[in-house]
């Protein structure tokens, strides 16, 4: 029986197949076992008896073997099959593949099968507790083959997402300095968007799980040699600093993967939750200018644009919150830097107000929808959750806007008015969202606005009597 059989048709075949079936599936134990046996033969020493070198033998898979092992890859998504593979020590066979095979495709498939098996809790626990297997899998991050790197990243993310084993992997990664170098190398050099997104998800999960690990990676300077290098790992790793690597990856995924951009912006936001992270951003080789430039461009030219429908703020709320949070942290710590000077950032103020305007519009729509729905239907529709995320975005947006408004001069305001970044409607929206929490910032801006445009200042004062009481 060379290939996985189709379901039997006769009663005799039914009786025979039932004893050969894997669990409740129609997959054949005999066929699966034969494929595993062939896999052992592929990497067995006897193969070297041929007149070809070991590398020449194993760099390519025979078509039939590739087809069969790919079928196993697909089948391993079934729990019964995954348990069968575990029972017959497939992870140990794969260890032999990693150690002896020079065929990238075979390595990729075997890591992929392990990734599918790890989706099941008990198997994931067994894989995770195997220290030798864990070390070998981390070494795969130093592989030069993008598909293998992708499957390795998927496997790691699967394990990190399971609470029972996440700490095992966090500790293992903390003890393997090579992981930092390999991840940074991927982020700084790969153009494979799918790989970059998955590696970003792994880093995001790691930082979310363990702040100490994040601090270690932030402080990590350079490491010229990989702690546990392999023959196919990068020959030389440069001085890697985490922020430039993150920015390079973010630029690669920016136009092709909104989800990937969201991931990398969230990583940057996580960095700003600790002083060391903020310093790593603003004290990077360019003094934070590249980070500010990228985030500025996202807010002013890509996210939540004037020709977008207001509902776009719902779709982009998480990435906007991350971007604005990093900008806010940078603005607060870099007020002396040239790139944060207000004469260059009036478009950013206009964009912040537009975000607030769009949120107001979405808020009105949510209220209208909730009036038309029953309470339980409203909750099921996700409106409550949506409002929570929008509130977070509003809080971050208002904090940054209030800080920027306090820095405006008369000349800045005149420029903003002339270029359309400020007008009565936008100022009114800003005041409505900032008051009363940020009264001092609004009052300061209003006083300078009076010097630039008395009429506009008076009109706003009529709409917001609290300003009149303070003058």
């Amino acid at each position: 029986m060379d290939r996985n059989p189709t379901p039997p048709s006769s009663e005799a075949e039914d009786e025979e197949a039932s004893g050969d079936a894997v669990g409740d599936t129609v997959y054949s134990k005999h066929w699966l076992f034969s494929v595993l046996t062939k896999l052992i033969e592929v990497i067995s020493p006897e193969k070297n008896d041929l007149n070809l070198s070991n590398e020449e033998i194993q760099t390519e898979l025979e078509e039939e073997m590739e087809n069969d092992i790919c079928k196993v890859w697909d089948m391993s998504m079934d729990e019964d099959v995954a348990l069968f593979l575990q029972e017959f020590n497939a992870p140990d066979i794969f260890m032999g593949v990693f150690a002896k095979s020079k065929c990238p495709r075979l390595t990729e498939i075997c890591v992929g099968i392990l990734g599918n098996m790890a989706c099941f809790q008990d198997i994931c626990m067994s894989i995770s507790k195997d220290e030798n297997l864990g070390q070998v899998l981390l070494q795969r991050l130093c592989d030069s083959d993008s598909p293998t790197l992708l499957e390795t990243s998927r496997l790691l993310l699967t394990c990190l997402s399971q609470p029972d084993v996440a700490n095992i992997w966090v500790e293992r990664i903390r003890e393997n300095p090579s992981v930092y170098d390999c991840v940074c190398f991927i982020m700084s050099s790969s153009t494979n968007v799918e790989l970059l997104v998955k590696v970003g998800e792994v880093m995001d999960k790691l930082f979310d799980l363990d702040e100490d690990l994040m601090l270690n990676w932030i402080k990590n300077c350079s490491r010229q040699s990989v702690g546990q290098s392999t023959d196919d790992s990068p020959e030389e790793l440069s001085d890697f600093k985490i922020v430039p690597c993150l920015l390079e990856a973010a630029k690669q995924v920016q136009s092709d993967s909104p989800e990937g951009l969201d991931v990398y912006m969230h990583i940057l936001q996580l960095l700003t939750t600790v002083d060391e992270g903020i310093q790593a951003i603003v004290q990077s080789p360019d003094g934070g200018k590249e980070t500010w430039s990228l985030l500025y461009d996202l807010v002013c030219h890509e996210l939540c644009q004037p020709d977008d429908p207001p509902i776009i703020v719902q779709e982009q709320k998480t990435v906007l919150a991350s971007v604005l949070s990093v900008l806010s942290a940078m603005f607060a710590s870099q007020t002396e830097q040239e790139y944060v000077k207000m004469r260059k950032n009036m478009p950013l103020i206009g964009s912040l107000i537009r975000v607030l305007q769009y949120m107001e519009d979405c808020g009105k729509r949510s209220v209208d929808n909730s009036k038309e729905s029953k309470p339980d239907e409203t909750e099921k529709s996700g409106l409550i959750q949506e409002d929570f995320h929008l509130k977070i975005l509003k809080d971050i947006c208002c904090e940054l806007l209030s800080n920027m408004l306090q820095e405006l001069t008369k000349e800045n305001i005149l420029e903003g008015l002339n270029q359309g970044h400020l007008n009565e409607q936008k100022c009114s929206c800003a005041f409505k969202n900032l008051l009363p929490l940020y009264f001092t910032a609004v009052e300061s801006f209003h006083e300078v606005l009076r010097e630039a445009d008395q009429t506009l200042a008076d009109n706003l004062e009529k709409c917001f009597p609290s300003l009149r009481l303070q003058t």
Side-chain angles (χ1 to χ4, degrees), residues 63 103 111 187 206 265 285 306 459:
E63 182 178 356
C103 175
V111 177
M187 291 192 299
L206 281 171
M265 293 303 102
N459 290 342

Side-chain angles (χ1 to χ4, degrees), residues 126-225:
S126 176
I127 291 173
S128 300
K129 286 185 174 181
D130 188 329
E131 187 62 28
N132 290 331
L133 180 57
Q135 295 293 341
V136 169
L137 287 171
L138 290 185
Q139 289 177 23
R140 290 299 97 208
L141 286 173
C142 298
D143 207 296
S144 58
D145 180 60
S146 290
T148 298
L149 289 170
L150 177 59
E151 294 309 318
T152 304
S153 300
R154 282 177 172 157
L155 171 57
L156 290 176
L157 185 62
T158 298
C159 294
L160 289 168
S161 300
Q162 297 203 27
D164 290 342
V165 302
N167 288 338
I168 297 175
W169 286 97
V170 170
E171 184 64 26
R172 186 173 286 148
I173 290 169
R174 188 190 293 117
E175 294 175 354
N176 280 267
S178 62
V179 175
Y180 171 86
D181 289 308
C182 293
V183 167
C184 284
F185 181 81
I186 294 168
M187 291 192 299
S188 62
S189 61
S190 179
T191 57
N192 185 319
V193 171
E194 190 177 7
L195 171 59
L196 288 171
V197 172
K198 197 58 62 178
V199 167
E201 289 175 344
V202 170
M203 179 183 280
D204 190 36
K205 190 67 176 178
L206 281 171
F207 287 2
D208 194 43
L209 286 169
D210 194 281
E211 185 176 293
D212 288 339
L213 180 94
M214 180 175 73
L215 287 169
N216 288 339
W217 282 24
I218 290 170
K219 297 173 183 176
N220 209 322
C221 295
S222 64
R223 190 173 291 103
Q224 290 298 328
S225 61

Side-chain angles (χ1 to χ4, degrees), residues 265-446:
M265 293 303 102
H266 188 253
I267 296 173
L268 282 174
Q269 182 183 10
L270 286 175
L271 294 187
T272 64
T273 60
V274 294
D275 290 339
E276 294 87 346
I278 297 175
Q279 293 308 308
I281 293 173
V282 300
Q283 292 181 4
S284 55
D286 60 1
K289 183 177 180 181
E290 188 175 353
T291 304
W292 182 273
S293 177
L294 173 63
L295 304 186
Y296 175 96
D297 183 66
L298 287 173
V299 177
C300 294
H301 304 298
E302 292 196 27
L303 300 173
C304 207
Q305 293 301 292
D307 54 350
D308 290 328
I311 195 66
I312 194 70
V313 78
Q314 289 276 18
E315 298 176 17
Q316 299 176 348
K317 60 185 178 292
T318 57
V319 67
L320 275 168
S322 295
V323 171
L324 297 183
S325 181
V326 179
L327 284 172
S328 184
M330 293 185 69
F331 187 83
S333 62
Q334 292 291 91
T335 53
E336 300 304 317
Q337 287 290 338
E338 182 65 23
Y339 60 79
V340 302
K341 297 300 182 184
M342 295 316 304
R343 66 177 181 277
K344 296 184 177 182
N345 288 300
M346 286 308 303
L348 180 55
I349 288 181
S351 296
L352 293 175
I353 295 174
R354 181 167 60 250
V355 171
L356 292 173
Q357 289 175 319
Y358 283 8
M359 281 192 287
E360 282 186 355
D361 185 86
C362 288
K364 292 174 183 177
R365 291 171 183 265
S366 295
V367 171
D368 292 341
N369 290 337
S370 64
K371 289 179 179 178
E372 297 174 2
S373 306
K374 296 179 182 179
D376 57 336
E377 293 176 346
T378 301
E379 186 171 355
K380 289 178 182 179
S381 69
L383 291 175
I384 293 176
Q385 183 178 4
E386 294 292 341
D387 288 345
F388 172 75
H389 288 297
L390 285 178
K391 183 180 184 305
I392 292 175
L393 175 57
K394 177 183 175 181
D395 290 344
I396 295 171
C397 186
C398 286
E399 180 180 4
L400 176 56
L401 181 60
S402 67
N403 288 334
M404 298 189 80
L405 289 180
Q406 291 185 88
E407 299 295 324
L408 291 176
T409 64
K410 175 183 176 181
E411 290 71 24
N412 298 148
I413 293 177
L414 286 171
E415 180 183 4
L417 291 170
N418 290 333
Q419 295 178 354
H421 303 306
L422 293 175
N423 56 35
E424 184 171 343
Q425 182 184 18
K426 292 180 178 180
C427 289
S428 179
C429 174
F431 285 14
K432 186 189 305 182
N433 284 278
L434 294 176
L435 293 172
L437 184 60
Y438 296 100
F439 180 84
T440 302
V442 173
E443 182 184 36
S444 172
F445 168 76
H446 185 251

Side-chain angles (χ1 to χ4, degrees), residues 19-36:
D20 185 46
V22 178
D24 294 329
T25 74
V26 296
Y27 302 130
S28 164
K29 291 180 182 178
H30 175 76
W31 182 86
L32 273 169
F33 187 76
S34 70
V35 175
L36 293 177

Side-chain angles (χ1 to χ4, degrees), residues 97-112:
V97 171
F98 303 148
K100 299 177 182 179
S101 175
K102 300 296 180 182
C103 175
R105 177 62 171 160
L106 182 58
T107 301
E108 173 205 353
I109 296 170
C110 290
V111 177

